[in-house]
Amino acid sequence: MKSLNRGWMIPAGLLVLFWGVWGAFSSKPTDLYGYPEEMVYIIWSLTMILPAAAALRRERFDRRPVAALYGLLAGLTGAGGQLVLFQALSDGPAYLIFPVVSLSPVITVLMAVALLRERINRLAVVGVVAALVAILLLSIPGGGGGGHSSGPWMVLAAVVCVAWGAQAFFMRKAAVVGVNDATTFGWMTISGLLLIPVAYLMMGSFPSGAPWQAPALTAGTQVLNAVGALFLVMALSRGKAAVVAPLTNALAPVLTIVLSLIVYQTLPTIWAAIGIVLALAGSTLMVYSDEKRGEDAAEPELAAKVPS
């Protein structure tokens, strides 16, 4: 069987670039101009319309109730996580927040074990253990270096981790029942827009007196986030998930960490550095084992459908 199609490499590379830069600079509108993180969320949700429209030009929108159910569950957990993430980035450093967020596959794996009675393989167990050790190391007070210690941002990052882990679980459930990626992405966009009133109520009123650079910088960074999500859909549709998912899951946070360390002009302590490495390694192992198991399970099905 020939599966050396390299068409996934360009969108995967662009995904790493877009998400890596977005993660490092997402908090800049708040840091530089005091722009409310709720307003950052509102602009992000609007930028999702562009990649959603592009995705739905390629695939038909699935109107089944089951597609709406899993699409909304995936969308609301994902958008809710985004809303909390922007708050976390306004309080803490991206180079510590994103390693914690990258541990979301732990939640996905645990949900699959608890709700679907799936068995966890040895590689995933190693990933879970590495993730737990990483959380402990990243939680050491003052472990971030540069005066950053564990605080509200750590709790918020953990909430995002849980939300995005649940989102991945619901996205997988959607795929299992035959919902195409564009439909799920469309519901994710709708969910993001549905939470705009929540963000507005949290904010109280639209910011007045903010310089034009604030919304412009916000739109620029959040377009990177939204279009990066579309690149992920494109990469997964062109390449093996067992290769694409772990690669992008590891490299995008690495780029964020490197860029944000340069921006903050600081270095983490040795414990935080080890925690960052363990978080990325554990997350990558879990994503790889999960996607590889899914592809291995699908191959006999595919072979059975091919006439001999």
Side-chain angles (χ1 to χ4, degrees), residues 77-272:
T77 49
Q82 284 281 2
L83 187 54
V84 176
L85 175 64
F86 295 138
Q87 176 64 57
L89 288 170
S90 70
D91 295 335
Y95 66 86
L96 292 179
I97 289 171
F98 276 91
V100 175
V101 172
S102 75
L103 296 174
S104 59
V106 175
I107 306 301
T108 308
V109 168
L110 293 179
M111 288 183 70
V113 171
L115 301 178
L116 302 181
R117 302 291 184 223
E118 292 187 5
R119 297 181 62 184
I120 183 170
N121 60 35
R122 292 179 181 177
L123 202 59
V125 170
V126 174
V128 171
V129 172
L132 294 175
V133 175
I135 290 172
L136 290 174
L137 293 174
L138 291 170
S139 299
I140 295 175
H148 292 292
S149 61
S150 58
W153 64 264
M154 175 63 83
V155 176
L156 294 174
V159 171
V160 179
C161 174
V162 172
W164 285 3
Q167 179 193 35
F169 175 80
F170 294 129
M171 288 174 72
R172 185 165 73 180
K173 286 286 291 179
V176 167
V177 298
V179 182
N180 62 60
D181 292 334
T183 297
T184 301
F185 197 90
W187 280 113
M188 288 166 59
T189 302
I190 292 169
S191 302
L193 296 172
L194 286 175
L195 289 184
I196 285 180
V198 176
Y200 177 79
L201 289 173
M202 291 172 62
M203 186 168 49
S205 63
F206 286 112
S208 59
W212 66 266
Q213 291 93 335
L217 182 57
T218 300
T221 53
Q222 297 313 316
V223 162
L224 295 177
N225 181 8
V227 177
L230 179 59
F231 283 137
L232 177 60
V233 173
M234 293 171 62
L236 288 172
S237 68
R238 290 167 168 75
K240 282 197 166 192
V243 176
V244 176
L247 185 69
T248 55
N249 190 73
L251 292 183
V254 166
L255 181 56
T256 292
I257 291 165
V258 171
L259 289 175
S260 58
L261 285 173
I262 294 172
V263 171
Y264 279 99
Q265 296 185 341
T266 187
L267 289 174
T269 65
I270 184 65
W271 299 117

